[in-house]
Amino acid sequence: MLGEVLTGFVAAAFAAPLARRLPRLAGPILALVPLGILAALTWRYAGSAAPPRTSVAWLPGLGIDLAFRLDGLAYLFALLICGIGAVILVYAGAYFAGDRRRGRMLATLLAFMASMLGVVLADHLVALFVFWELTSVTSYLLIGFDHEQEKSRKAALQALLVTGGGGLALLAGVVLLAQAAGTWDISALAGQAQTIRASPLQLPIIVLVLAGCFTKSAQVPFHFWLPNAMAAPTPVSAYLHSATMVKAGVYLAARLNPSLGGAAAWEWALIGFGALTAVTAAAMSLRQHELKRLLAYSTVASLGVLIMLVGLAAPEGGADAVTAAKAVVLFLLAHALYKATLFLVAGSLTRATGLKDARLLVGLRRAMPLTFVAGVLAGLSMVGVPALLGYLGKESAIAAAWERHAAGPAMLALVLAAPPLVVVGLRVGVAPFLGSRRAVVADGAGTAHEVPTGMWVGPVALAVIGLVLGLAPMLLNRVVSETAAAVHGAPVAARLALWHGFNAVVLLDVAIVLGGVALWLWRSSIDRWTRRLARLAAFGPERGYALALEGTLAFGRVQTRLLQSGYLRRYLLVVFLFAIAVVGAALVAAHRPGAIGAALGEIVHVHAEDVLLVVMMVVAAVAVVHSRSRVAAVIALGAVGLAVSLVFVLYSAPDLALTQVLIETLTVILFVLAMRQLPFFVDLSSRRTRVRDLVVAVLGGGLMTTLVLLASHVQLGDEVASAYFAAEAVPQGHGRNVVNVILVDFRALDTLGEITVLALAAIGVIALVRGRTGLEARR
Amino acid sequence: MNLLAVPILLPLVFASVMLATRWPRVQRLLSVAGALGLFLVNLAILWQVDRVGVATLQVGGWPAPAGITLVADRLSAVMLVMTGAMGLGIAVYSLGEIRRRKQRFGYHTLLHVLLMGVCGAFLTGDLFNLFVWYEVMLIASFVLLTLGGRRGQLEGAIKYVTINLVASAFFLAALGVLYGMTGTLNMADLAHAVDRIDRPELLTVLAMMFLVAFGLKAGVFPLFFWLPASYHTPPTAITAIFSALLTKVGVYSMIRMFTLVFVQNVGWTHGLLLAIAGLTMVSGVLGAAVQSDMRRILSFHIVSQIGYLLMGLGLAGPAVAALHVPGRTLNDRAAMAVAALGLGGTVFFMVHVILAKTALFLVCGVVERLRRSASLDRVGGLATTHPVLAGLFLVAALSLAGIPPLAGFWAKFMLVRAGLEGAAWVVTTAALGTGLLTLYSMTKIWAEAFWKPLPAGELQRRDRVMTRGTRLLMYGPTFAIVGAIVAIGLWPASLEAFATRTAAQLVDPSEYVAAVSNHAIFSRSDRERAAMPADSGTSGEAPR
């Protein structure tokens, strides 16, 4: 199945050139790609009793394969992705007529489609994650498609950060899941459900995986990115942010339900967050008037319902769980069909009239008859009118909640959330076409026309499919039973029918539709009531997102100002403090209290000449710091150096002493020559600064001295290297001065390096001097 | 054939010849030829080391530890190859970017001496010799920084050189004390000499000195300030090669010392490394998130990525400590797996981050070339006007942020998995969170430089014309590097296998030590080891 997935990516590469050559036909031609993929997958799916699985080793060292498996759940999603994908490609081809970005749009849509297909077909946790992240990236590029506008860029970033953050949690989640279960294969996870349950990692796994699902599927409190993502062009909203990508979270929750379900945390998180999302988003949809935002909030609400239904389909549950599993499938399918259609209808309406506000759109049935057909069928499907697939979806959802508990949270959430969704269905699918007034066209240029073929054929096709499946639901028996089995984790037999008889569920359904109609009729008073609620939104999660981002950046600014102050003296202070801290801590940690002093006492034997030298060095050092003249300071520094060379003399290293004296003298002379040009010191440091510096200096020096003294006591005593130097200098090095032989022969490479350093320093000076004079000459 | 001296001598020879040449055209030709030669030789070394085993060379034929040992194990070899590759890329790119004037003032010579220093650091098996290579790198990079002599450059360069000299002082002091204690500076010799020191706690104290010295070079928290202070000043090609190589030498040295020598108290040393790793990631990326200049953003990211490299090293602590004693095998499979993933992840990450960062800087250089500025307030609209450049940036940026299926994802995946399996929750969380913030700051560049329309005030400034030749020189290397990022992402298996082999060689240093011992006069230590009581865990075998 790797071929099927890759086909989409390959096709994406050819989309732009194709759109340049055949601009009008690019959409329909490219739509053949998803249809072809779907045909290939259907052939595979129908052709084998057990779910077909293919696997290619990808990173064998880490056990990562590109494994794909086509079971009912995967096939259902593939059906949606490819089928709706084909419609969207045709629609987008027409929607972007005359736009030179058409090729880029089609290419990105195809890349997204391939990624999404990868998500649902993957049978390896890492492969799934790879495609999951690819959908986030393509979604980012598509939301920001109109990137000249700041709104689009912001919305794209928001979506990327929210879903990307969830993605990182998911990454940790799948790694822990594989660790707990001992397998990366998704199809093998269900068999390890007991092992996972026994693992202490179970709760972290659930939290991390659900963080991924909830961000992707826009659950409260992460829902806010989805309405903002409506900044994307309409085909994108219809495809990614309604029909497919946002359902990836639902998919993953459903996919992992057999292996992680059964845990109370899992079940209640799904039901709780799903119910909360459904109710919140449905209530918020009442405040919306823009077509796409109405649809966006209703999509969030439907995603909440789906997540809740997955929670109800516990793998070891009874009949109610089976009903819930079936409801997941039916509601998902129905929602994808009617919501994608409604989005496309909304896009056509806006394209034809230039209007986005649902309140302004009326009486378009004559001007746009075909769009009208699609809109009404999809709108009524969303309302839940029998004979349409939407009815079956809603009925099964109510049945699942009812069977679980007639007065449970799921039931309550459905009763509260469903009526506003009825309103949305009516407002977007039906109301714009009804009424006797003629719609005003935004730019005042003439009347509205039917949209071009490419823009109505898809929506009509989807709407008709919804009607056919609503009338003949038995067509879905195999897909529903196999998909529900994958969600539930046990075989499910689905026998769907148009009418299940008259029962409590039907009554509830009627009540919900009536409730929706009532909300619609009394919309002005509802509008007034909800205005207050809307103010609460200012404290909502989107504010939280903004605060988190701003807070992080503010913290970043503060810490950067502290660390990256721009002052060299402060940098040096930090370096020395850090060194003192880590070295000092290691030293103190390694000794018992007082042990360092005792050890030093043993080691140090004071000789008179040592004292003299130390006093000399200290006095000279103090003079360096206190001197107001640079020359005096340099000379005092020279005195320190001379005292050091005396130490060498005392410890019988005359050659070293000689070298040191020469260097000290030369340095002093060079310094004095260079410094003649410079002014006297100006004392800029305050007393406090100087005291601080003194403390740091004393600590640093003291620490280093202690370390050297302690270390001098620890010697292995076998100086192989020095013994070798002494022994071999004459016979092999042919030199009587051992140090010289070391420098030019034994360790000639060191010397070569140091010579290079000197040469480069010379080049640097020349470049600096000549470069600067060159610059000045040009000015 | 023993090639180990070539990566040091070849750049030196080319540098000298270029210095002596007066014809710029010849210099340019030699520069690319030299870099190509270095790359090929380094590839040959990698091939040899990976197939045959650790290669050594006693310089001048003097036995270790008296003479200087050059050693190439897999880690050294892969670092050499990356050095050669980036050197070649930058040598070509510079021909397009660097002003002719600067080229005349020894730019190519300096570049090659820098490469020499870096290769020397990766090859040497002797601590003092490592110090020398550090000095070579420092002076070469300092002069490169000041080339051109603008005020901002000099200011940055002064901070750079001062702080790096402090690092050298720490390094020198530490290795002096270590020599005083052990009588040797040969790393392989040290690996066993330290076992015989009766006060191992002093070694831990000394390890802290090395940590400060190498940490300064690597740019870890809280010692990284010299890097963002200076990296945005020179031409982009110079920043790119610094970013690719200099901090990595510091990290390489840490990996070497903290797998080979300082493994006495891993709870302390490697625990501290993990803490530093987490803080480095987070503070680096936070610094990047608040910048508004492409090059400054990228400079802070160098810091942030260093954290990931250290994370793998820190996680490997328990395993390297257990395997340090020769002949002992580790029964704790979990710790071994963590170390293999961690150090393997570090190696993979090293390759990835060098590629991604260099590619990003090269793109940044093109932007600067076109618009005369890398400030996000002054650029825009590049996605429309330069779609190819946009594509190159996007791939490199997403790889840096660890988005699959690019090289950066696998690197991050290995490290995160090592962190989770090693139950290092805090640093793993930091690594994941840093990934998100990296994504944020990459999309910031993307949104501002590529998506946003050109600011109104900049509309009348036309893009600077790039000749066909310049375009080829600047886009060519960028394409090659981005191609490598994609290729590694799609076919990660061979690099991962290599990284894991490298990790195995690092966790169990016996092959490294044995290879050096072949030409060494360590015999007295073998004698002593043989005399050691059996219960100390050694097998009593002399190294091969």
Side-chain angles (χ1 to χ4, degrees), chain A residues 58 140 147 168 559 564 566 591 715-716 718 724 745 747 750 772, chain B residues 62-63 126 128-129 149 159 180-181 199 225 283 432 451 490 524:
Chain A
W58 195 8
Y140 170 75
H147 53 72
L168 291 171
Q559 76 117 34
Q564 203 68 35
H591 294 82
Q715 275 178 359
L716 290 179
D718 41 29
Y724 183 87
D745 205 339
R747 300 190 59 102
D750 288 341
R772 283 199 74 79
Chain B
W62 304 110
D126 186 282
F128 184 77
N129 195 235
K159 287 173 189 161
M181 285 165 76
R199 295 195 54 198
F225 18 66
S283 63
L432 289 170
W451 264 3
L490 293 179
R524 58 98 192 62

mmCIF file of all heavy atoms in Angstrom, chain A residues 58 140 147 168 559 564 566 591 715-716 718 724 745 747 750 772, chain B residues 62-63 126 128-129 149 159 180-181 199 225 283 432 451 490 524:
data_model
loop_
_atom_site.group_PDB
_atom_site.id
_atom_site.type_symbol
_atom_site.label_atom_id
_atom_site.label_comp_id
_atom_site.label_asym_id
_atom_site.label_seq_id
_atom_site.Cartn_x
_atom_site.Cartn_y
_atom_site.Cartn_z
ATOM 1 N N TRP A 58 11.979 0.289 7.042
ATOM 2 C CA TRP A 58 12.383 1.674 6.823
ATOM 3 C C TRP A 58 13.650 1.968 7.620
ATOM 4 O O TRP A 58 14.652 2.426 7.099
ATOM 5 C CB TRP A 58 11.250 2.623 7.224
ATOM 6 C CG TRP A 58 11.420 4.015 6.705
ATOM 7 C CD1 TRP A 58 12.370 4.444 5.828
ATOM 8 C CD2 TRP A 58 10.611 5.153 6.995
ATOM 9 N NE1 TRP A 58 12.192 5.786 5.561
ATOM 10 C CE2 TRP A 58 11.122 6.238 6.265
ATOM 11 C CE3 TRP A 58 9.489 5.361 7.815
ATOM 12 C CZ2 TRP A 58 10.562 7.517 6.331
ATOM 13 C CZ3 TRP A 58 8.930 6.631 7.876
ATOM 14 C CH2 TRP A 58 9.473 7.696 7.131
ATOM 15 N N TYR A 140 -0.731 23.761 7.710
ATOM 16 C CA TYR A 140 -0.131 25.094 7.931
ATOM 17 C C TYR A 140 -0.005 25.844 6.615
ATOM 18 O O TYR A 140 -0.391 27.014 6.509
ATOM 19 C CB TYR A 140 1.236 24.914 8.588
ATOM 20 C CG TYR A 140 2.078 26.170 8.670
ATOM 21 C CD1 TYR A 140 1.784 27.159 9.599
ATOM 22 C CD2 TYR A 140 3.174 26.359 7.831
ATOM 23 C CE1 TYR A 140 2.545 28.306 9.680
ATOM 24 C CE2 TYR A 140 3.937 27.505 7.907
ATOM 25 C CZ TYR A 140 3.627 28.471 8.834
ATOM 26 O OH TYR A 140 4.384 29.616 8.911
ATOM 27 N N HIS A 147 -1.156 34.254 2.032
ATOM 28 C CA HIS A 147 -0.176 34.649 3.036
ATOM 29 C C HIS A 147 0.152 36.121 3.026
ATOM 30 O O HIS A 147 0.926 36.593 3.842
ATOM 31 C CB HIS A 147 1.098 33.809 2.910
ATOM 32 C CG HIS A 147 1.674 33.810 1.534
ATOM 33 N ND1 HIS A 147 2.297 34.891 1.019
ATOM 34 C CD2 HIS A 147 1.700 32.850 0.587
ATOM 35 C CE1 HIS A 147 2.706 34.596 -0.213
ATOM 36 N NE2 HIS A 147 2.357 33.372 -0.502
ATOM 37 N N LEU A 168 3.842 16.658 19.538
ATOM 38 C CA LEU A 168 5.003 16.286 20.353
ATOM 39 C C LEU A 168 4.580 15.395 21.517
ATOM 40 O O LEU A 168 5.259 14.425 21.854
ATOM 41 C CB LEU A 168 5.696 17.539 20.858
ATOM 42 C CG LEU A 168 6.377 18.334 19.754
ATOM 43 C CD1 LEU A 168 6.852 19.670 20.274
ATOM 44 C CD2 LEU A 168 7.547 17.550 19.202
ATOM 45 N N GLN A 559 15.258 36.598 30.052
ATOM 46 C CA GLN A 559 16.441 35.758 30.249
ATOM 47 C C GLN A 559 17.528 36.106 29.237
ATOM 48 O O GLN A 559 18.701 36.037 29.552
ATOM 49 C CB GLN A 559 16.065 34.281 30.184
ATOM 50 C CG GLN A 559 15.818 33.740 28.802
ATOM 51 C CD GLN A 559 16.806 32.649 28.424
ATOM 52 O OE1 GLN A 559 17.241 31.873 29.253
ATOM 53 N NE2 GLN A 559 17.178 32.611 27.163
ATOM 54 N N GLN A 564 22.474 37.700 27.808
ATOM 55 C CA GLN A 564 23.132 38.285 26.646
ATOM 56 C C GLN A 564 23.172 39.794 26.834
ATOM 57 O O GLN A 564 22.609 40.545 26.065
ATOM 58 C CB GLN A 564 22.338 37.904 25.390
ATOM 59 C CG GLN A 564 23.136 37.938 24.111
ATOM 60 C CD GLN A 564 24.189 36.862 24.066
ATOM 61 O OE1 GLN A 564 23.978 35.779 24.562
ATOM 62 N NE2 GLN A 564 25.331 37.163 23.500
ATOM 63 N N GLY A 566 25.490 41.972 26.641
ATOM 64 C CA GLY A 566 26.290 42.803 25.748
ATOM 65 C C GLY A 566 27.559 43.318 26.401
ATOM 66 O O GLY A 566 28.379 43.949 25.746
ATOM 67 N N HIS A 591 34.583 15.721 49.652
ATOM 68 C CA HIS A 591 35.298 15.674 50.932
ATOM 69 C C HIS A 591 34.330 15.823 52.087
ATOM 70 O O HIS A 591 33.330 16.518 51.991
ATOM 71 C CB HIS A 591 36.337 16.788 51.002
ATOM 72 C CG HIS A 591 37.451 16.615 50.012
ATOM 73 N ND1 HIS A 591 37.325 17.004 48.709
ATOM 74 C CD2 HIS A 591 38.696 16.077 50.148
ATOM 75 C CE1 HIS A 591 38.451 16.734 48.073
ATOM 76 N NE2 HIS A 591 39.296 16.155 48.919
ATOM 77 N N GLN A 715 50.057 11.291 42.638
ATOM 78 C CA GLN A 715 50.866 11.063 41.450
ATOM 79 C C GLN A 715 51.043 9.581 41.248
ATOM 80 O O GLN A 715 51.254 8.829 42.196
ATOM 81 C CB GLN A 715 52.221 11.752 41.586
ATOM 82 C CG GLN A 715 52.136 13.196 41.165
ATOM 83 C CD GLN A 715 53.433 13.937 41.332
ATOM 84 O OE1 GLN A 715 54.422 13.366 41.785
ATOM 85 N NE2 GLN A 715 53.405 15.191 40.967
ATOM 86 N N LEU A 716 50.934 9.167 40.013
ATOM 87 C CA LEU A 716 51.095 7.753 39.735
ATOM 88 C C LEU A 716 52.563 7.358 39.819
ATOM 89 O O LEU A 716 52.888 6.215 40.075
ATOM 90 C CB LEU A 716 50.561 7.425 38.347
ATOM 91 C CG LEU A 716 49.054 7.513 38.234
ATOM 92 C CD1 LEU A 716 48.623 7.196 36.824
ATOM 93 C CD2 LEU A 716 48.404 6.532 39.214
ATOM 94 N N ASP A 718 54.709 6.962 37.600
ATOM 95 C CA ASP A 718 55.384 6.337 36.471
ATOM 96 C C ASP A 718 55.335 7.286 35.279
ATOM 97 O O ASP A 718 54.374 7.316 34.545
ATOM 98 C CB ASP A 718 54.760 4.990 36.125
ATOM 99 C CG ASP A 718 53.259 5.027 36.214
ATOM 100 O OD1 ASP A 718 52.683 6.107 35.985
ATOM 101 O OD2 ASP A 718 52.660 4.003 36.515
ATOM 102 N N TYR A 724 61.052 8.449 28.752
ATOM 103 C CA TYR A 724 61.384 8.154 27.352
ATOM 104 C C TYR A 724 62.135 9.322 26.733
ATOM 105 O O TYR A 724 63.139 9.134 26.048
ATOM 106 C CB TYR A 724 60.084 7.887 26.588
ATOM 107 C CG TYR A 724 60.313 7.498 25.145
ATOM 108 C CD1 TYR A 724 60.541 6.173 24.793
ATOM 109 C CD2 TYR A 724 60.312 8.456 24.134
ATOM 110 C CE1 TYR A 724 60.744 5.811 23.482
ATOM 111 C CE2 TYR A 724 60.513 8.101 22.821
ATOM 112 C CZ TYR A 724 60.737 6.777 22.500
ATOM 113 O OH TYR A 724 60.946 6.413 21.198
ATOM 114 N N ASP A 745 61.101 17.626 17.685
ATOM 115 C CA ASP A 745 61.075 16.265 17.157
ATOM 116 C C ASP A 745 59.976 15.411 17.778
ATOM 117 O O ASP A 745 59.010 15.055 17.121
ATOM 118 C CB ASP A 745 62.445 15.607 17.344
ATOM 119 C CG ASP A 745 62.663 14.499 16.327
ATOM 120 O OD1 ASP A 745 61.659 14.007 15.795
ATOM 121 O OD2 ASP A 745 63.829 14.133 16.070
ATOM 122 N N ARG A 747 57.544 16.083 19.747
ATOM 123 C CA ARG A 747 56.200 16.649 19.635
ATOM 124 C C ARG A 747 56.214 17.789 18.612
ATOM 125 O O ARG A 747 55.705 18.878 18.859
ATOM 126 C CB ARG A 747 55.708 17.112 21.001
ATOM 127 C CG ARG A 747 55.651 15.945 22.001
ATOM 128 C CD ARG A 747 54.949 16.289 23.264
ATOM 129 N NE ARG A 747 53.589 16.697 23.028
ATOM 130 C CZ ARG A 747 52.515 15.922 23.220
ATOM 131 N NH1 ARG A 747 52.670 14.685 23.648
ATOM 132 N NH2 ARG A 747 51.322 16.377 22.992
ATOM 133 N N ASP A 750 52.860 19.650 17.664
ATOM 134 C CA ASP A 750 52.437 20.773 18.507
ATOM 135 C C ASP A 750 53.088 22.063 18.027
ATOM 136 O O ASP A 750 52.443 23.101 17.906
ATOM 137 C CB ASP A 750 52.839 20.527 19.961
ATOM 138 C CG ASP A 750 51.999 19.449 20.616
ATOM 139 O OD1 ASP A 750 50.912 19.162 20.079
ATOM 140 O OD2 ASP A 750 52.426 18.914 21.645
ATOM 141 N N ARG A 772 41.764 48.396 7.105
ATOM 142 C CA ARG A 772 41.206 49.634 7.655
ATOM 143 C C ARG A 772 41.664 50.844 6.851
ATOM 144 O O ARG A 772 40.875 51.715 6.539
ATOM 145 C CB ARG A 772 41.596 49.790 9.114
ATOM 146 C CG ARG A 772 40.786 48.905 10.017
ATOM 147 C CD ARG A 772 40.833 49.373 11.446
ATOM 148 N NE ARG A 772 40.025 50.557 11.631
ATOM 149 C CZ ARG A 772 38.702 50.533 11.758
ATOM 150 N NH1 ARG A 772 38.059 49.407 11.677
ATOM 151 N NH2 ARG A 772 38.031 51.639 11.951
ATOM 152 N N TRP B 62 57.353 8.291 16.885
ATOM 153 C CA TRP B 62 57.620 8.204 18.325
ATOM 154 C C TRP B 62 56.461 7.512 19.012
ATOM 155 O O TRP B 62 55.306 7.825 18.750
ATOM 156 C CB TRP B 62 57.814 9.601 18.925
ATOM 157 C CG TRP B 62 58.892 10.367 18.235
ATOM 158 C CD1 TRP B 62 58.732 11.440 17.433
ATOM 159 C CD2 TRP B 62 60.284 10.100 18.297
ATOM 160 N NE1 TRP B 62 59.927 11.864 16.964
ATOM 161 C CE2 TRP B 62 60.924 11.068 17.481
ATOM 162 C CE3 TRP B 62 61.085 9.151 18.939
ATOM 163 C CZ2 TRP B 62 62.300 11.112 17.297
ATOM 164 C CZ3 TRP B 62 62.447 9.188 18.765
ATOM 165 C CH2 TRP B 62 63.045 10.156 17.947
ATOM 166 N N PRO B 63 56.778 6.582 19.898
ATOM 167 C CA PRO B 63 55.686 5.811 20.507
ATOM 168 C C PRO B 63 54.862 6.657 21.482
ATOM 169 O O PRO B 63 55.368 7.614 22.068
ATOM 170 C CB PRO B 63 56.425 4.696 21.241
ATOM 171 C CG PRO B 63 57.755 5.270 21.546
ATOM 172 C CD PRO B 63 58.100 6.162 20.388
ATOM 173 N N ASP B 126 45.787 13.111 21.699
ATOM 174 C CA ASP B 126 46.670 13.651 22.725
ATOM 175 C C ASP B 126 46.073 14.967 23.213
ATOM 176 O O ASP B 126 45.760 15.846 22.408
ATOM 177 C CB ASP B 126 48.039 13.889 22.088
ATOM 178 C CG ASP B 126 49.076 14.321 23.114
ATOM 179 O OD1 ASP B 126 49.056 15.498 23.509
ATOM 180 O OD2 ASP B 126 49.874 13.466 23.506
ATOM 181 N N PHE B 128 47.259 17.540 24.918
ATOM 182 C CA PHE B 128 47.951 18.804 24.697
ATOM 183 C C PHE B 128 47.875 19.204 23.231
ATOM 184 O O PHE B 128 47.685 20.367 22.893
ATOM 185 C CB PHE B 128 49.412 18.753 25.151
ATOM 186 C CG PHE B 128 50.068 20.087 25.000
ATOM 187 C CD1 PHE B 128 49.823 21.090 25.926
ATOM 188 C CD2 PHE B 128 50.872 20.385 23.904
ATOM 189 C CE1 PHE B 128 50.371 22.347 25.779
ATOM 190 C CE2 PHE B 128 51.418 21.650 23.744
ATOM 191 C CZ PHE B 128 51.177 22.633 24.690
ATOM 192 N N ASN B 129 47.983 18.202 22.369
ATOM 193 C CA ASN B 129 47.869 18.477 20.949
ATOM 194 C C ASN B 129 46.482 19.031 20.624
ATOM 195 O O ASN B 129 46.344 19.933 19.804
ATOM 196 C CB ASN B 129 48.136 17.178 20.168
ATOM 197 C CG ASN B 129 48.399 17.449 18.699
ATOM 198 O OD1 ASN B 129 47.734 16.891 17.853
ATOM 199 N ND2 ASN B 129 49.351 18.319 18.407
ATOM 200 N N GLY B 149 37.075 44.484 9.065
ATOM 201 C CA GLY B 149 37.369 45.498 10.072
ATOM 202 C C GLY B 149 36.264 46.500 10.336
ATOM 203 O O GLY B 149 36.535 47.626 10.703
ATOM 204 N N LYS B 159 34.951 40.219 22.056
ATOM 205 C CA LYS B 159 34.266 39.355 23.027
ATOM 206 C C LYS B 159 34.597 37.898 22.742
ATOM 207 O O LYS B 159 34.878 37.111 23.649
ATOM 208 C CB LYS B 159 32.757 39.565 22.930
ATOM 209 C CG LYS B 159 32.332 40.887 23.527
ATOM 210 C CD LYS B 159 30.869 41.159 23.275
ATOM 211 C CE LYS B 159 30.554 42.590 23.692
ATOM 212 N NZ LYS B 159 29.332 43.090 23.093
ATOM 213 N N GLY B 180 50.080 16.348 35.769
ATOM 214 C CA GLY B 180 50.772 16.198 37.038
ATOM 215 C C GLY B 180 50.334 14.945 37.776
ATOM 216 O O GLY B 180 51.130 14.265 38.423
ATOM 217 N N MET B 181 49.076 14.642 37.678
ATOM 218 C CA MET B 181 48.563 13.483 38.413
ATOM 219 C C MET B 181 48.907 12.174 37.717
ATOM 220 O O MET B 181 49.230 11.178 38.360
ATOM 221 C CB MET B 181 47.034 13.586 38.566
ATOM 222 C CG MET B 181 46.613 14.600 39.617
ATOM 223 S SD MET B 181 44.863 15.018 39.499
ATOM 224 C CE MET B 181 44.115 13.581 40.205
ATOM 225 N N ARG B 199 42.613 8.644 44.371
ATOM 226 C CA ARG B 199 41.587 9.591 44.816
ATOM 227 C C ARG B 199 40.743 10.034 43.615
ATOM 228 O O ARG B 199 40.892 11.135 43.102
ATOM 229 C CB ARG B 199 42.241 10.794 45.477
ATOM 230 C CG ARG B 199 42.976 10.382 46.765
ATOM 231 C CD ARG B 199 43.310 11.557 47.623
ATOM 232 N NE ARG B 199 42.133 12.359 47.907
ATOM 233 C CZ ARG B 199 42.202 13.610 48.348
ATOM 234 N NH1 ARG B 199 43.376 14.179 48.527
ATOM 235 N NH2 ARG B 199 41.115 14.285 48.592
ATOM 236 N N PHE B 225 27.339 33.120 25.682
ATOM 237 C CA PHE B 225 27.104 34.491 25.203
ATOM 238 C C PHE B 225 28.051 34.961 24.114
ATOM 239 O O PHE B 225 27.689 35.810 23.311
ATOM 240 C CB PHE B 225 27.178 35.486 26.353
ATOM 241 C CG PHE B 225 27.861 34.953 27.560
ATOM 242 C CD1 PHE B 225 29.199 34.650 27.538
ATOM 243 C CD2 PHE B 225 27.133 34.718 28.709
ATOM 244 C CE1 PHE B 225 29.807 34.124 28.650
ATOM 245 C CE2 PHE B 225 27.743 34.194 29.831
ATOM 246 C CZ PHE B 225 29.079 33.902 29.801
ATOM 247 N N SER B 283 17.179 27.655 27.000
ATOM 248 C CA SER B 283 17.549 29.069 26.983
ATOM 249 C C SER B 283 17.976 29.499 25.588
ATOM 250 O O SER B 283 17.721 30.634 25.182
ATOM 251 C CB SER B 283 18.645 29.353 28.011
ATOM 252 O OG SER B 283 19.793 28.646 27.675
ATOM 253 N N LEU B 432 11.338 18.034 23.887
ATOM 254 C CA LEU B 432 10.117 18.138 23.085
ATOM 255 C C LEU B 432 9.624 19.581 23.028
ATOM 256 O O LEU B 432 9.259 20.085 21.969
ATOM 257 C CB LEU B 432 9.034 17.229 23.661
ATOM 258 C CG LEU B 432 9.285 15.727 23.451
ATOM 259 C CD1 LEU B 432 8.303 14.890 24.247
ATOM 260 C CD2 LEU B 432 9.179 15.379 21.982
ATOM 261 N N TRP B 451 6.567 34.851 3.561
ATOM 262 C CA TRP B 451 5.130 34.978 3.328
ATOM 263 C C TRP B 451 4.662 36.420 3.298
ATOM 264 O O TRP B 451 3.866 36.817 2.462
ATOM 265 C CB TRP B 451 4.367 34.202 4.406
ATOM 266 C CG TRP B 451 3.992 32.832 3.978
ATOM 267 C CD1 TRP B 451 4.322 32.240 2.791
ATOM 268 C CD2 TRP B 451 3.219 31.871 4.698
ATOM 269 N NE1 TRP B 451 3.797 30.976 2.744
ATOM 270 C CE2 TRP B 451 3.119 30.719 3.897
ATOM 271 C CE3 TRP B 451 2.604 31.863 5.959
ATOM 272 C CZ2 TRP B 451 2.416 29.579 4.294
ATOM 273 C CZ3 TRP B 451 1.912 30.733 6.360
ATOM 274 C CH2 TRP B 451 1.821 29.597 5.536
ATOM 275 N N LEU B 490 14.573 10.359 4.137
ATOM 276 C CA LEU B 490 13.811 9.292 3.495
ATOM 277 C C LEU B 490 14.483 7.935 3.654
ATOM 278 O O LEU B 490 13.815 6.913 3.730
ATOM 279 C CB LEU B 490 13.621 9.607 2.005
ATOM 280 C CG LEU B 490 12.740 10.821 1.705
ATOM 281 C CD1 LEU B 490 12.633 11.053 0.203
ATOM 282 C CD2 LEU B 490 11.344 10.642 2.289
ATOM 283 N N ARG B 524 54.158 -0.771 31.307
ATOM 284 C CA ARG B 524 54.161 -0.875 32.759
ATOM 285 C C ARG B 524 52.752 -0.877 33.330
ATOM 286 O O ARG B 524 52.485 -1.520 34.323
ATOM 287 C CB ARG B 524 55.025 0.217 33.379
ATOM 288 C CG ARG B 524 54.634 1.644 33.026
ATOM 289 C CD ARG B 524 53.825 2.303 34.045
ATOM 290 N NE ARG B 524 53.232 3.547 33.601
ATOM 291 C CZ ARG B 524 52.387 3.685 32.624
ATOM 292 N NH1 ARG B 524 52.045 2.656 31.880
ATOM 293 N NH2 ARG B 524 51.856 4.852 32.360
#
